[in-house]
Amino acid sequence: MLEDPTTAAPHPAPPSSWPATYPQGYAVVDVETTGLARDDRIVSAAVYQLDARGAVQDHWYTLVNPQRDPGPVWIHGLTEEVLEGAPRFPEIAGELAERLADRVLVAHNAAFDWSMLAREYARSKSAAPVRQRLCTIALSKELGLPLPNHKLETLAAHYGVVQRRAHHALDDARVLAETFRPSLHRAAETGLRLPLLACQPLTEWSDGPTIGRQRSYRQTWRPSRKRPACPYPNPGRYEPGGQLVQGMRVAFSGDTSVDRELLEDRAIEAGLHVATSVSRLTSVLVTNDPDSPTSKTAKARSFGTPVIDEAAFMQLLQDVTPAPPTNR
């Protein structure tokens, strides 16, 4: 456990009136990892527990033995020797879960931290007790903060929070907690609806093979996959209550209980075209959170694209109509 040297910059008192719809507590999270791909592992994790108005209640930090090479040591500074005696994720999963339970997970680029946690819990044959997440990048954009970019250090500088050890999970979580508090207060003052997104714990997971040893650590957290071209023409939109037809263009948005790549693989095996974005040609959008303010759901609404949830999609996958024969 690293000693926490919190010397928070002074912040104004929270607004006297507080939106009744705001969460009752937050878990500010940062994880350091062996890389950015779906088969990468967590090497350290930190959690700051905050109350409903953003005051720090507790903090916690641990190293995690990833049971593989630690990846970009030049970023997080955690070598194989340092991690050798650290607990494995299943050994800390319970304590971490207690610190996340009944709280909104807050992180900077929360999709990444949540995806890493969800996959680690799935490997441990359990689930993280997280139902909602809040990304501080999204919150900063909603607040219209005058930031040149949305890096954590930029947000910290805006609020006068001193960052001591960038890419150290505990210090990053501390900095994030101290910058989240004034953002939360600003949101409350204006009655802003917080950009909360639903979290779907993984119920089905499979570690894919690691291809080679070289990685690019500057890519986005979920590297693109090269998929085979769909051999069938697009028959048009899915008709609610009907069946999927081979060649239909399917897009996914948000978290799924089956790991996204497995879900995409099953769609491809059924003869569907997996699209990375939503357009007028998209046959159906699959999402468990149709009210989320994502670009895909917004486009689906504007185009009149049918929207179904994951459970319905999995049911439809069991009986996909073959593509009609083409005239030659």
Side-chain angles (χ1 to χ4, degrees):
M1 179 79 68
L2 181 71
E3 196 65 33
D4 174 44
T6 301
T7 55
H11 296 299
S16 55
S17 62
W18 197 262
T21 57
Y22 276 23
Q24 294 303 302
Y26 304 88
V28 178
V29 172
D30 186 77
V31 297
E32 296 298 320
T33 66
T34 62
L36 306 173
R38 68 188 295 270
D39 59 337
D40 276 302
R41 307 296 300 272
I42 290 174
V43 294
S44 65
V47 180
Y48 266 74
Q49 292 181 313
L50 310 183
D51 68 13
R53 302 198 177 196
V56 175
Q57 297 174 303
D58 189 19
H59 66 272
W60 174 84
Y61 169 78
T62 185
L63 297 174
V64 182
N65 184 342
Q67 299 176 266
R68 49 157 288 178
D69 69 278
V73 174
W74 60 92
I75 295 178
H76 53 60
L78 300 174
T79 63
E80 290 186 15
E81 291 74 22
V82 170
L83 297 171
E84 183 178 3
R88 298 175 181 178
F89 190 86
E91 298 174 68
I92 60 97
E95 186 173 3
L96 176 57
E98 291 176 4
R99 296 175 181 277
L100 298 175
D102 302 318
R103 296 174 184 268
V104 170
L105 183 149
V106 177
H108 205 64
N109 187 12
F112 172 77
D113 294 81
W114 165 245
S115 69
M116 296 302 298
L117 287 169
R119 288 168 178 167
E120 289 285 12
Y121 273 99
R123 290 186 186 98
S124 304
K125 303 188 186 310
S126 58
V130 177
R131 295 298 172 262
Q132 289 183 306
R133 66 175 182 262
L134 191 160
C135 179
T136 49
I137 296 175
L139 181 58
S140 296
K141 291 179 179 179
E142 290 288 335
L143 290 170
L145 299 183
L147 305 175
N149 57 59
H150 291 283
K151 296 179 180 179
L152 179 57
E153 56 263 35
T154 304
L155 184 61
H158 176 76
Y159 284 122
V161 178
V162 177
Q163 190 169 27
R164 294 180 177 83
R165 295 183 64 183
H167 301 297
H168 188 289
L170 183 60
D171 198 57
D172 280 354
R174 175 190 64 83
V175 169
L176 191 56
E178 295 302 331
T179 57
F180 173 63
R181 183 189 300 114
S183 288
L184 180 63
H185 291 178
R186 288 192 184 194
E189 287 171 355
T190 59
L192 178 73
R193 179 184 176 186
L194 295 178
L196 300 172
L197 291 177
C199 290
Q200 191 81 13
L202 288 177
T203 58
E204 190 172 344
W205 163 261
S206 175
D207 267 317
T210 301
I211 303 175
R213 301 294 292 176
Q214 298 298 317
R215 296 180 180 273
S216 172
Y217 295 101
R218 296 185 180 181
Q219 60 190 334
T220 56
W221 70 268
R222 187 172 181 270
S224 61
R225 304 171 67 207
K226 186 175 181 179
R227 304 182 183 92
C230 183
Y232 310 109
N234 186 354
R237 286 186 172 172
Y238 164 72
E239 294 292 336
Q243 290 180 294
L244 296 173
V245 180
Q246 288 182 328
M248 281 186 171
R249 296 175 68 96
V250 180
F252 299 92
S253 178
D255 301 325
T256 53
S257 59
V258 175
D259 182 63
R260 175 73 69 84
E261 294 189 1
L262 288 180
L263 200 57
E264 291 175 352
D265 289 343
R266 290 177 184 175
I268 291 170
E269 290 167 1
L272 303 175
H273 178 149
V274 173
T276 57
S277 60
V278 173
S279 72
R280 296 183 187 278
L281 298 176
T282 304
S283 304
V284 64
L285 175 67
V286 179
T287 178
N288 290 315
D289 193 11
D291 297 323
S292 66
T294 65
S295 60
K296 288 182 180 179
T297 53
K299 286 182 178 179
R301 285 193 293 269
S302 68
F303 296 149
T305 304
V307 177
I308 60 176
D309 64 20
E310 179 186 2
F313 180 70
M314 294 293 285
Q315 187 69 29
L316 289 169
L317 273 184
Q318 297 179 23
D319 189 18
V320 175
T321 301
T326 56
N327 295 324
R328 293 183 180 273

